[in-house]
mmCIF file of all heavy atoms in Angstrom:
data_model
loop_
_atom_site.group_PDB
_atom_site.id
_atom_site.type_symbol
_atom_site.label_atom_id
_atom_site.label_comp_id
_atom_site.label_asym_id
_atom_site.label_seq_id
_atom_site.Cartn_x
_atom_site.Cartn_y
_atom_site.Cartn_z
ATOM 1 N N LYS A 624 -3.982 -7.295 8.462
ATOM 2 C CA LYS A 624 -3.259 -8.232 9.334
ATOM 3 C C LYS A 624 -2.866 -9.503 8.597
ATOM 4 O O LYS A 624 -1.685 -9.838 8.472
ATOM 5 C CB LYS A 624 -4.099 -8.588 10.565
ATOM 6 C CG LYS A 624 -3.454 -9.644 11.477
ATOM 7 C CD LYS A 624 -4.340 -9.993 12.642
ATOM 8 C CE LYS A 624 -5.561 -10.792 12.232
ATOM 9 N NZ LYS A 624 -5.213 -12.168 11.768
ATOM 10 N N GLU A 787 -10.012 -19.647 28.619
ATOM 11 C CA GLU A 787 -10.054 -18.189 28.641
ATOM 12 C C GLU A 787 -8.653 -17.598 28.696
ATOM 13 O O GLU A 787 -8.347 -16.588 28.054
ATOM 14 C CB GLU A 787 -10.877 -17.705 29.837
ATOM 15 C CG GLU A 787 -12.375 -17.982 29.685
ATOM 16 C CD GLU A 787 -13.152 -17.679 30.955
ATOM 17 O OE1 GLU A 787 -12.522 -17.196 31.924
ATOM 18 O OE2 GLU A 787 -14.370 -17.937 30.980
ATOM 19 N N HIS A 788 -7.776 -18.266 29.480
ATOM 20 C CA HIS A 788 -6.391 -17.809 29.586
ATOM 21 C C HIS A 788 -5.691 -17.873 28.221
ATOM 22 O O HIS A 788 -4.949 -16.961 27.843
ATOM 23 C CB HIS A 788 -5.643 -18.668 30.608
ATOM 24 C CG HIS A 788 -4.172 -18.372 30.687
ATOM 25 N ND1 HIS A 788 -3.675 -17.201 31.205
ATOM 26 C CD2 HIS A 788 -3.086 -19.108 30.290
ATOM 27 C CE1 HIS A 788 -2.347 -17.211 31.121
ATOM 28 N NE2 HIS A 788 -1.967 -18.356 30.568
ATOM 29 N N MET A 789 -5.939 -18.934 27.484
ATOM 30 C CA MET A 789 -5.344 -19.081 26.161
ATOM 31 C C MET A 789 -5.933 -18.067 25.178
ATOM 32 O O MET A 789 -5.212 -17.465 24.366
ATOM 33 C CB MET A 789 -5.544 -20.509 25.648
ATOM 34 C CG MET A 789 -4.794 -21.566 26.464
ATOM 35 S SD MET A 789 -5.280 -23.268 26.055
ATOM 36 C CE MET A 789 -4.582 -23.437 24.411
ATOM 37 N N ALA A 790 -7.245 -17.869 25.252
ATOM 38 C CA ALA A 790 -7.918 -16.956 24.316
ATOM 39 C C ALA A 790 -7.483 -15.514 24.518
ATOM 40 O O ALA A 790 -7.501 -14.718 23.582
ATOM 41 C CB ALA A 790 -9.432 -17.074 24.489
ATOM 42 N N GLU A 791 -7.093 -15.171 25.773
ATOM 43 C CA GLU A 791 -6.639 -13.813 26.042
ATOM 44 C C GLU A 791 -5.414 -13.445 25.210
ATOM 45 O O GLU A 791 -5.138 -12.271 24.971
ATOM 46 C CB GLU A 791 -6.303 -13.654 27.532
ATOM 47 C CG GLU A 791 -7.548 -13.573 28.419
ATOM 48 C CD GLU A 791 -7.170 -13.576 29.895
ATOM 49 O OE1 GLU A 791 -5.958 -13.689 30.201
ATOM 50 O OE2 GLU A 791 -8.075 -13.481 30.737
ATOM 51 N N LYS A 792 -4.668 -14.463 24.797
ATOM 52 C CA LYS A 792 -3.468 -14.230 23.989
ATOM 53 C C LYS A 792 -3.777 -14.266 22.502
ATOM 54 O O LYS A 792 -2.877 -14.296 21.670
ATOM 55 C CB LYS A 792 -2.404 -15.265 24.338
ATOM 56 C CG LYS A 792 -1.953 -15.158 25.792
ATOM 57 C CD LYS A 792 -0.873 -16.174 26.125
ATOM 58 C CE LYS A 792 -0.433 -16.021 27.581
ATOM 59 N NZ LYS A 792 0.602 -17.018 27.937
ATOM 60 N N GLY A 793 -5.072 -14.293 22.176
ATOM 61 C CA GLY A 793 -5.479 -14.186 20.786
ATOM 62 C C GLY A 793 -5.512 -15.490 20.026
ATOM 63 O O GLY A 793 -5.731 -15.480 18.815
ATOM 64 N N VAL A 794 -5.284 -16.619 20.705
ATOM 65 C CA VAL A 794 -5.282 -17.893 19.986
ATOM 66 C C VAL A 794 -6.705 -18.407 19.832
ATOM 67 O O VAL A 794 -7.591 -18.130 20.654
ATOM 68 C CB VAL A 794 -4.415 -18.959 20.706
ATOM 69 C CG1 VAL A 794 -2.978 -18.518 20.786
ATOM 70 C CG2 VAL A 794 -4.967 -19.276 22.088
ATOM 71 N N ARG A 795 -6.921 -19.150 18.754
ATOM 72 C CA ARG A 795 -8.210 -19.802 18.532
ATOM 73 C C ARG A 795 -8.155 -21.167 19.215
ATOM 74 O O ARG A 795 -7.293 -21.986 18.906
ATOM 75 C CB ARG A 795 -8.461 -19.954 17.038
ATOM 76 C CG ARG A 795 -9.807 -20.563 16.718
ATOM 77 C CD ARG A 795 -9.976 -20.764 15.220
ATOM 78 N NE ARG A 795 -11.282 -21.307 14.911
ATOM 79 C CZ ARG A 795 -11.643 -21.736 13.722
ATOM 80 N NH1 ARG A 795 -10.786 -21.708 12.700
ATOM 81 N NH2 ARG A 795 -12.854 -22.204 13.510
ATOM 82 N N ILE A 829 -2.876 -19.881 16.142
ATOM 83 C CA ILE A 829 -2.923 -18.491 15.704
ATOM 84 C C ILE A 829 -2.146 -18.385 14.399
ATOM 85 O O ILE A 829 -1.284 -19.223 14.107
ATOM 86 C CB ILE A 829 -2.312 -17.561 16.782
ATOM 87 C CG1 ILE A 829 -2.738 -16.107 16.552
ATOM 88 C CG2 ILE A 829 -0.796 -17.690 16.844
ATOM 89 C CD1 ILE A 829 -2.411 -15.196 17.723
ATOM 90 N N MET A 852 -3.332 -1.125 12.383
ATOM 91 C CA MET A 852 -3.809 -2.409 11.875
ATOM 92 C C MET A 852 -5.316 -2.322 11.672
ATOM 93 O O MET A 852 -6.070 -2.032 12.608
ATOM 94 C CB MET A 852 -3.485 -3.546 12.857
ATOM 95 C CG MET A 852 -3.961 -4.918 12.386
ATOM 96 S SD MET A 852 -3.935 -6.167 13.692
ATOM 97 C CE MET A 852 -2.190 -6.334 13.981
ATOM 98 N N THR A 854 -8.366 -4.673 10.302
ATOM 99 C CA THR A 854 -8.585 -6.073 9.959
ATOM 100 C C THR A 854 -10.044 -6.470 10.116
ATOM 101 O O THR A 854 -10.804 -5.821 10.843
ATOM 102 C CB THR A 854 -7.706 -6.974 10.847
ATOM 103 O OG1 THR A 854 -7.949 -8.340 10.551
ATOM 104 C CG2 THR A 854 -7.983 -6.736 12.323
ATOM 105 N N ASP A 856 -10.656 -9.395 11.307
ATOM 106 C CA ASP A 856 -10.594 -10.395 12.369
ATOM 107 C C ASP A 856 -11.146 -9.830 13.678
ATOM 108 O O ASP A 856 -11.458 -8.643 13.786
ATOM 109 C CB ASP A 856 -9.148 -10.850 12.560
ATOM 110 C CG ASP A 856 -9.060 -12.341 12.848
ATOM 111 O OD1 ASP A 856 -10.048 -12.894 13.376
ATOM 112 O OD2 ASP A 856 -8.031 -12.955 12.529
ATOM 113 N N HIS A 857 -11.230 -10.699 14.689
ATOM 114 C CA HIS A 857 -11.768 -10.294 15.984
ATOM 115 C C HIS A 857 -10.764 -9.426 16.740
ATOM 116 O O HIS A 857 -9.549 -9.542 16.559
ATOM 117 C CB HIS A 857 -12.154 -11.517 16.802
ATOM 118 C CG HIS A 857 -13.292 -12.293 16.210
ATOM 119 N ND1 HIS A 857 -14.617 -11.939 16.374
ATOM 120 C CD2 HIS A 857 -13.302 -13.393 15.421
ATOM 121 C CE1 HIS A 857 -15.393 -12.789 15.726
ATOM 122 N NE2 HIS A 857 -14.617 -13.683 15.140
ATOM 123 N N ALA A 858 -11.284 -8.575 17.621
ATOM 124 C CA ALA A 858 -10.459 -7.597 18.319
ATOM 125 C C ALA A 858 -9.398 -8.257 19.196
ATOM 126 O O ALA A 858 -8.245 -7.810 19.233
ATOM 127 C CB ALA A 858 -11.345 -6.673 19.159
ATOM 128 N N VAL A 859 -9.766 -9.309 19.917
ATOM 129 C CA VAL A 859 -8.819 -9.964 20.821
ATOM 130 C C VAL A 859 -7.652 -10.558 20.034
ATOM 131 O O VAL A 859 -6.484 -10.401 20.399
ATOM 132 C CB VAL A 859 -9.524 -11.063 21.650
ATOM 133 C CG1 VAL A 859 -8.506 -11.848 22.457
ATOM 134 C CG2 VAL A 859 -10.562 -10.444 22.573
ATOM 135 N N THR A 860 -7.978 -11.243 18.937
ATOM 136 C CA THR A 860 -6.924 -11.841 18.097
ATOM 137 C C THR A 860 -6.029 -10.752 17.518
ATOM 138 O O THR A 860 -4.804 -10.874 17.519
ATOM 139 C CB THR A 860 -7.550 -12.655 16.954
ATOM 140 O OG1 THR A 860 -8.430 -13.639 17.506
ATOM 141 C CG2 THR A 860 -6.485 -13.325 16.128
ATOM 142 N N ALA A 861 -6.642 -9.694 16.998
ATOM 143 C CA ALA A 861 -5.874 -8.611 16.393
ATOM 144 C C ALA A 861 -4.971 -7.935 17.416
ATOM 145 O O ALA A 861 -3.803 -7.630 17.132
ATOM 146 C CB ALA A 861 -6.823 -7.589 15.767
ATOM 147 N N ALA A 862 -5.497 -7.691 18.637
ATOM 148 C CA ALA A 862 -4.708 -7.051 19.682
ATOM 149 C C ALA A 862 -3.532 -7.936 20.099
ATOM 150 O O ALA A 862 -2.438 -7.441 20.384
ATOM 151 C CB ALA A 862 -5.587 -6.737 20.886
ATOM 152 N N ALA A 863 -3.750 -9.252 20.146
ATOM 153 C CA ALA A 863 -2.672 -10.175 20.511
ATOM 154 C C ALA A 863 -1.545 -10.131 19.482
ATOM 155 O O ALA A 863 -0.359 -10.087 19.832
ATOM 156 C CB ALA A 863 -3.220 -11.601 20.630
ATOM 157 N N ILE A 864 -1.904 -10.134 18.202
ATOM 158 C CA ILE A 864 -0.896 -10.047 17.148
ATOM 159 C C ILE A 864 -0.175 -8.695 17.233
ATOM 160 O O ILE A 864 1.050 -8.605 17.054
ATOM 161 C CB ILE A 864 -1.532 -10.230 15.759
ATOM 162 C CG1 ILE A 864 -1.994 -11.679 15.572
ATOM 163 C CG2 ILE A 864 -0.557 -9.848 14.656
ATOM 164 C CD1 ILE A 864 -0.872 -12.684 15.507
ATOM 165 N N ALA A 865 -0.946 -7.633 17.512
ATOM 166 C CA ALA A 865 -0.348 -6.300 17.608
ATOM 167 C C ALA A 865 0.720 -6.255 18.695
ATOM 168 O O ALA A 865 1.768 -5.623 18.525
ATOM 169 C CB ALA A 865 -1.432 -5.261 17.890
ATOM 170 N N ARG A 866 0.455 -6.928 19.812
ATOM 171 C CA ARG A 866 1.459 -6.985 20.875
ATOM 172 C C ARG A 866 2.711 -7.732 20.424
ATOM 173 O O ARG A 866 3.832 -7.311 20.667
ATOM 174 C CB ARG A 866 0.872 -7.698 22.099
ATOM 175 C CG ARG A 866 0.092 -6.804 23.024
ATOM 176 C CD ARG A 866 0.038 -7.405 24.423
ATOM 177 N NE ARG A 866 -0.927 -6.686 25.216
ATOM 178 C CZ ARG A 866 -2.226 -6.957 25.220
ATOM 179 N NH1 ARG A 866 -2.703 -7.927 24.464
ATOM 180 N NH2 ARG A 866 -3.054 -6.274 25.962
ATOM 181 N N GLN A 867 2.480 -8.855 19.751
ATOM 182 C CA GLN A 867 3.616 -9.687 19.334
ATOM 183 C C GLN A 867 4.522 -8.971 18.337
ATOM 184 O O GLN A 867 5.729 -9.185 18.330
ATOM 185 C CB GLN A 867 3.116 -11.003 18.728
ATOM 186 C CG GLN A 867 2.433 -11.921 19.730
ATOM 187 C CD GLN A 867 1.982 -13.224 19.081
ATOM 188 O OE1 GLN A 867 2.674 -13.804 18.261
ATOM 189 N NE2 GLN A 867 0.798 -13.690 19.454
ATOM 190 N N TYR A 871 2.285 -1.678 19.604
ATOM 191 C CA TYR A 871 1.927 -0.736 20.662
ATOM 192 C C TYR A 871 3.135 0.008 21.222
ATOM 193 O O TYR A 871 2.993 0.859 22.083
ATOM 194 C CB TYR A 871 1.219 -1.467 21.804
ATOM 195 C CG TYR A 871 -0.124 -2.034 21.421
ATOM 196 C CD1 TYR A 871 -0.504 -3.306 21.832
ATOM 197 C CD2 TYR A 871 -1.011 -1.302 20.648
ATOM 198 C CE1 TYR A 871 -1.736 -3.833 21.483
ATOM 199 C CE2 TYR A 871 -2.239 -1.818 20.288
ATOM 200 C CZ TYR A 871 -2.597 -3.083 20.714
ATOM 201 O OH TYR A 871 -3.821 -3.600 20.369
ATOM 202 N N ASP A 878 -6.545 -3.663 26.344
ATOM 203 C CA ASP A 878 -6.949 -3.904 24.961
ATOM 204 C C ASP A 878 -8.099 -2.993 24.546
ATOM 205 O O ASP A 878 -8.166 -2.537 23.405
ATOM 206 C CB ASP A 878 -7.384 -5.363 24.779
ATOM 207 C CG ASP A 878 -6.179 -6.306 24.847
ATOM 208 O OD1 ASP A 878 -5.041 -5.821 24.871
ATOM 209 O OD2 ASP A 878 -6.401 -7.505 24.871
ATOM 210 N N GLU A 879 -9.004 -2.720 25.503
ATOM 211 C CA GLU A 879 -10.166 -1.907 25.151
ATOM 212 C C GLU A 879 -9.754 -0.522 24.671
ATOM 213 O O GLU A 879 -10.444 0.108 23.900
ATOM 214 C CB GLU A 879 -11.107 -1.777 26.355
ATOM 215 C CG GLU A 879 -11.830 -3.066 26.736
ATOM 216 C CD GLU A 879 -10.936 -4.034 27.469
ATOM 217 O OE1 GLU A 879 -9.860 -3.613 27.938
ATOM 218 O OE2 GLU A 879 -11.281 -5.232 27.574
ATOM 219 N N ALA A 882 -7.847 -1.127 20.894
ATOM 220 C CA ALA A 882 -8.540 -1.693 19.727
ATOM 221 C C ALA A 882 -9.980 -1.186 19.692
ATOM 222 O O ALA A 882 -10.652 -1.107 20.723
ATOM 223 C CB ALA A 882 -8.529 -3.217 19.790
ATOM 224 N N LEU A 883 -10.430 -0.820 18.501
ATOM 225 C CA LEU A 883 -11.818 -0.411 18.290
ATOM 226 C C LEU A 883 -12.450 -1.344 17.272
ATOM 227 O O LEU A 883 -11.813 -1.705 16.276
ATOM 228 C CB LEU A 883 -11.889 1.024 17.774
ATOM 229 C CG LEU A 883 -11.707 2.154 18.785
ATOM 230 C CD1 LEU A 883 -11.683 3.492 18.066
ATOM 231 C CD2 LEU A 883 -12.807 2.135 19.825
ATOM 232 N N THR A 884 -13.687 -1.740 17.515
ATOM 233 C CA THR A 884 -14.392 -2.617 16.580
ATOM 234 C C THR A 884 -15.248 -1.780 15.626
ATOM 235 O O THR A 884 -15.494 -0.589 15.863
ATOM 236 C CB THR A 884 -15.297 -3.594 17.329
ATOM 237 O OG1 THR A 884 -16.328 -2.851 18.017
ATOM 238 C CG2 THR A 884 -14.504 -4.416 18.334
ATOM 239 N N VAL A 905 -5.320 -0.455 16.614
ATOM 240 C CA VAL A 905 -5.969 -1.630 16.030
ATOM 241 C C VAL A 905 -7.454 -1.358 15.809
ATOM 242 O O VAL A 905 -8.151 -0.893 16.723
ATOM 243 C CB VAL A 905 -5.795 -2.875 16.932
ATOM 244 C CG1 VAL A 905 -6.544 -4.068 16.351
ATOM 245 C CG2 VAL A 905 -4.322 -3.219 17.086
ATOM 246 N N ALA A 907 -10.767 -3.509 14.399
ATOM 247 C CA ALA A 907 -11.176 -4.873 14.075
ATOM 248 C C ALA A 907 -12.638 -4.925 13.627
ATOM 249 O O ALA A 907 -13.430 -4.032 13.942
ATOM 250 C CB ALA A 907 -10.984 -5.778 15.298
ATOM 251 N N ARG A 908 -12.961 -5.990 12.855
ATOM 252 C CA ARG A 908 -14.323 -6.203 12.349
ATOM 253 C C ARG A 908 -14.823 -4.950 11.632
ATOM 254 O O ARG A 908 -15.928 -4.460 11.848
ATOM 255 C CB ARG A 908 -15.286 -6.593 13.480
ATOM 256 C CG ARG A 908 -14.825 -7.706 14.375
ATOM 257 C CD ARG A 908 -14.554 -8.976 13.608
ATOM 258 N NE ARG A 908 -15.755 -9.750 13.338
ATOM 259 C CZ ARG A 908 -15.783 -10.850 12.593
ATOM 260 N NH1 ARG A 908 -14.666 -11.269 12.012
ATOM 261 N NH2 ARG A 908 -16.894 -11.506 12.388
#
Side-chain angles (χ1 to χ4, degrees):
K624 176 182 71 68
E787 290 172 3
H788 174 70
M789 294 169 70
E791 286 174 357
K792 297 181 179 179
V794 298
R795 183 183 182 189
I829 198 168
M852 180 194 293
T854 178
D856 218 334
H857 294 279
V859 173
T860 304
I864 290 293
R866 275 203 192 85
Q867 293 181 40
Y871 294 137
D878 289 352
E879 290 77 15
L883 282 175
T884 64
V905 177
R908 310 302 278 175

